[in-house]
Amino acid sequence: MDESADIFNGYRARLFGIAYRMLGSRVDSEDILQETYLRWIESKPSELRSTEAWLATVVTRLCIDRLRSAKTEREAYTGSWLPEPLVSPGPLSPDLTLELASDISIAFLTVLERLAPEERAAFLLHEVFDFAYAEISRIIGKNQAACRQIVHRAKQRVQEDRPRFSISREAHGQLLEKFIEVASSGRREHIVNFLADEVRVTTDGGGKVSSFRKVLQGSDRVARFYAGLSRKFAGRFVYRLVEINGEPGLLRYVDGKLESAQSFVINGTQICEIYIVRNPEKLNDTPM
């Protein structure tokens, strides 16, 4: 048992990387890994061609099944559905850094939500985890030609929908530090300078707390939103700069309690996308 656990734990970070990108949920990903582990300890490792391939196959197939069963849930979800953020007060822990090194931003995961389960699996396995088409074929049960076509179509869709800007982590963090100041000031005319003209705000309250049912768009409307919050909660809320899904982001606390996790897409000098997760079930109880 100990040997099996050690072998599984050696692949755990990679398996979590696959599951989280597939599901956008830490909780669901941990459930998938637990189910995979139970199947692993009941297997016969000596008969396996490749331990990594076997584990990746089980995780991916479980994730595909989970996404299919979640389709109805997400269609009935109140307002916008956003991935559960991975929040860290500093850089991600070493065991996750390698496998989560490529893009796990909320923006990227939101784009992946538009792919069908098998599309998402094939795209991630090939483009993020460098699986060969022969391996992907065995995992999703389609021939290699079909897998190539699936990945090609998925890659096109992702590239069309995915915002791409070149900005350093340091510049990203510095802009957010300045944004904290103006957002806390409540002065709309100052806030608007940090926003691109067509900036968009997507909020996820899950029907449990208030949120926008539709995307809020336009620099003036978004600036008024942040200014209004500052006035409404004057002296009661605090922003904290943290790491969210591998990028600088903000946690907002009201009366000392975590109220939201906010992720940003920045075009270099201004904010062009904001994703605000308010659903309490998706927020870790991160202390101030």
Side-chain angles (χ1 to χ4, degrees), residues 180-230:
I180 289 174
E181 294 180 17
V182 298
S184 301
S185 73
R187 302 186 65 176
R188 183 198 61 79
E189 66 274 18
H190 290 175
I191 298 172
V192 77
N193 292 329
F194 285 80
L195 306 173
D197 289 343
E198 297 303 315
V199 61
R200 293 161 49 91
V201 175
T202 304
T203 58
D204 176 351
K208 297 172 176 60
V209 295
S210 62
S211 64
F212 298 122
R213 292 295 186 97
K214 297 181 179 179
V215 174
L216 182 69
Q217 185 166 4
S219 57
D220 187 65
R221 296 180 69 193
V222 174
R224 289 181 185 277
F225 164 63
Y226 274 96
L229 286 176
S230 178

Side-chain angles (χ1 to χ4, degrees), residues 2-275:
D2 289 342
E3 183 180 359
S4 293
D6 289 342
I7 293 172
F8 182 84
N9 287 332
Y11 292 101
R12 186 177 182 85
R14 187 167 180 80
L15 299 175
F16 180 84
I18 294 173
Y20 178 72
R21 286 182 177 85
M22 282 289 293
L23 303 176
S25 166
R26 178 194 289 271
V27 173
D28 287 350
S29 297
E30 292 292 353
D31 288 345
I32 292 295
L33 262 61
Q34 180 63 23
E35 175 63 24
T36 302
Y37 176 69
L38 293 176
R39 296 189 184 193
W40 164 247
I41 61 177
E42 294 175 357
S43 68
K44 296 180 180 180
S46 61
E47 299 178 3
L48 300 180
R49 179 182 57 84
S50 165
T51 298
E52 180 181 7
W54 188 91
L55 291 170
T57 298
V58 174
V59 166
T60 302
R61 289 177 178 172
L62 287 173
C63 286
I64 289 174
D65 290 343
R66 177 70 185 94
L67 284 176
R68 286 172 175 162
S69 65
K71 185 175 184 293
T72 302
E73 298 171 21
R74 294 189 183 179
E75 287 176 348
Y77 196 82
T78 302
S80 300
W81 185 96
L82 291 175
E84 177 186 350
L86 296 178
V87 179
S88 172
L92 291 171
S93 58
D95 63 327
L96 287 180
T97 297
L98 180 61
E99 295 307 334
L100 299 182
S102 57
D103 199 346
I104 56 164
S105 67
I106 296 296
F108 180 49
L109 295 180
T110 301
V111 170
L112 294 182
E113 280 297 306
R114 300 165 194 169
L115 301 179
E118 287 184 348
E119 278 186 298
R120 189 166 180 167
F123 172 79
L124 289 171
L125 290 172
H126 187 266
E127 296 296 312
V128 176
F129 295 98
D130 296 321
F131 278 73
Y133 283 111
E135 294 173 296
I136 297 172
S137 174
R138 285 191 289 270
I139 290 173
I140 68 173
K142 294 185 180 294
N143 64 51
Q144 291 189 47
C147 289
R148 289 178 185 275
Q149 188 61 30
I150 289 171
V151 171
H152 176 71
R153 287 198 304 265
K155 189 174 181 179
Q156 282 186 318
R157 293 185 63 187
V158 170
Q159 288 176 338
E160 289 170 0
D161 296 340
R162 184 183 184 186
R164 300 290 293 181
F165 302 105
S166 179
I167 179 172
S168 69
R169 181 182 301 272
E170 182 181 12
H172 193 145
Q174 288 174 347
L175 191 146
L176 291 187
E177 286 178 343
K178 294 176 182 177
F179 183 70
I180 289 174
E181 294 180 17
V182 298
S184 301
S185 73
R187 302 186 65 176
R188 183 198 61 79
E189 66 274 18
H190 290 175
I191 298 172
V192 77
N193 292 329
F194 285 80
L195 306 173
D197 289 343
E198 297 303 315
V199 61
R200 293 161 49 91
V201 175
T202 304
T203 58
D204 176 351
K208 297 172 176 60
V209 295
S210 62
S211 64
F212 298 122
R213 292 295 186 97
K214 297 181 179 179
V215 174
L216 182 69
Q217 185 166 4
S219 57
D220 187 65
R221 296 180 69 193
V222 174
R224 289 181 185 277
F225 164 63
Y226 274 96
L229 286 176
S230 178
R231 291 191 296 271
K232 180 179 180 180
F233 296 101
R236 295 175 54 200
F237 72 73
V238 174
Y239 286 100
R240 179 185 176 196
L241 183 65
V242 295
E243 188 105 345
I244 299 179
N245 286 57
E247 296 181 338
L250 299 179
L251 297 182
R252 186 168 62 203
Y253 296 83
V254 177
D255 297 329
K257 183 178 180 180
L258 180 60
E259 174 266 344
S260 65
Q262 306 188 15
S263 301
F264 300 79
V265 176
I266 295 172
N267 64 15
T269 58
Q270 292 180 310
I271 296 166
C272 53
E273 291 273 358
I274 305 175
Y275 299 94

